[in-house]
Amino acid sequence: MRALKTLVLALAAGLLLTGCTKQYITQGLEMTYLDYDVRSSQWQYQEDGYYEEDGYYRVTLDVPDITPQVVKYGNVQVSRYYPQNATWTPLPAMRVESYLDGDTEFFYTTFTDYEWSERTVDIFVTTSDLYAGDRPGDMSFRVYITQ
C-alpha cells in the first residue's frame, strides 16, 4: 500500500513538472509601421439593418507589407491619431460624440475597429444606434506590422 502511495505521488509530481503549455521563442522579431490619411470622401457606407439609414462606414487600406509570412506568423495592430490632443489610440476604440438639434444636445457613441488580411486592413466606424448619419471626417491611422 505504501509503495502504491509513493508511486502515485511520484507520477503526480512528474505531471506537475512537465506542464501543459507550449512555449514559442521568436528571435529577431521585427516591427514596422505605416501611416495612412483617410479623407472623408473615402469612407464607404455599408447598409446593415432594417432601415435604410442603419449601417456603418468602412475604408479599405492597401498595405503591401502584410505578406503571407505576416499572416501566418505575425500580427497587425492599428491606432488612430487624434490631433486635438496629439495622441495615438489603439483600436478598437469607443468615443462619446454629441450634436445639437435646436437647443437639445444628443449624445451617442462611435466604435472604431478593424480587420486585417494579406495586403489589406479594413477599418469600420459604427455608431451606437447604427444610424449612419454623416460620413466620418478625415482621420489618420497607423498600421503596425510585427513579423
Side-chain angles (χ1 to χ4, degrees):
M1 183 71 169
R2 185 171 197 173
L4 181 59
K5 284 183 182 180
T6 305
L7 179 63
V8 169
L9 284 173
L11 286 174
L15 288 174
L16 287 173
L17 292 176
T18 59
C20 298
T21 60
K22 291 183 180 178
Q23 183 178 6
Y24 298 99
I25 299 173
T26 305
Q27 295 184 3
L29 200 61
E30 180 183 319
M31 181 174 19
T32 57
Y33 69 86
L34 301 160
D35 289 336
Y36 291 86
D37 291 323
V38 176
R39 301 289 166 232
S40 180
S41 60
Q42 292 176 276
W43 291 102
Q44 299 294 317
Y45 176 70
Q46 306 288 306
E47 190 173 312
D48 186 23
Y50 182 75
Y51 298 103
E52 191 173 305
E53 296 90 17
D54 289 352
Y56 56 90
Y57 285 94
R58 169 188 188 165
V59 68
T60 299
L61 305 177
D62 180 33
V63 188
D65 289 11
I66 303 177
T67 62
Q69 178 89 3
V70 172
V71 172
K72 189 168 184 177
Y73 301 109
N75 190 25
V76 175
Q77 296 174 311
V78 179
S79 292
R80 178 180 170 191
Y81 183 70
Y82 289 91
Q84 304 88 329
N85 50 7
T87 59
W88 288 97
T89 301
L91 299 184
M94 185 176 290
R95 295 285 181 185
V96 175
E97 312 275 346
S98 68
Y99 69 93
L100 285 175
D101 187 4
D103 291 333
T104 307
E105 186 173 18
F106 293 95
F107 293 92
Y108 60 97
T109 58
T110 57
F111 185 71
T112 307
D113 63 325
Y114 69 99
E115 295 175 346
W116 63 275
S117 59
E118 186 177 334
R119 298 186 55 88
T120 302
V121 172
D122 292 311
I123 300 175
F124 307 95
V125 175
T126 308
T127 58
S128 53
D129 60 359
L130 287 180
Y131 177 71
D134 296 330
R135 252 179 225 279
D138 297 348
M139 295 183 195
S140 296
F141 297 96
R142 180 168 284 172
V143 177
Y144 302 90
I145 302 164
T146 306
Q147 54 185 338

